[in-house]
Amino acid sequence: MSIIGHVIRLRSVSFEDMELLYNWRNDPAVVAASRTQREVTKEEHAAWFSAIQTPDLSGFYGRCIYIAMLLDQAVGMLRIEYDGQFVATI
């Protein structure tokens, strides 16, 4: 699928994306490029997914997750992590 001439839009992650992100995370190419270089379990993934949707005690969400959409198809993920000091890592 070519992206030339198309717009990629971002939407906020939702609970319905948990399985999609789990499958992407355990794709062999992603596993090979990850820090741990191992697949995550469903339990580990569920804990991570819950944590990204839960604010800390100050109400601060340390990260935002977006799903990249092309022609109504999910094609990627964007993760923005905030350090609480007005600095973010994408």
Side-chain angles (χ1 to χ4, degrees), residues 7-79:
V7 174
I8 294 177
R9 64 179 180 83
L10 299 175
R11 65 168 175 77
S12 295
V13 72
S14 68
F15 180 77
E16 290 77 24
D17 297 312
M18 188 164 68
E19 187 75 19
L20 172 68
L21 292 177
Y22 173 76
N23 291 333
W24 283 351
R25 168 56 182 88
N26 284 332
D27 180 273
V30 174
V31 170
S34 72
R35 284 182 290 174
T36 62
Q37 296 198 340
R38 68 171 183 81
E39 290 186 2
V40 298
T41 65
K42 286 208 176 219
E43 293 78 17
E44 290 171 317
H45 182 71
W48 172 82
F49 196 84
S50 177
I52 67 169
Q53 298 191 39
T54 306
D56 64 17
L57 295 176
S58 69
F60 178 71
Y61 289 85
R63 61 180 67 98
C64 295
I65 307 289
Y66 298 96
I67 301 296
M69 302 293 294
L70 176 64
L71 300 175
D72 294 324
Q73 180 179 352
V75 295
M77 177 190 86
L78 172 68
R79 183 176 76 206

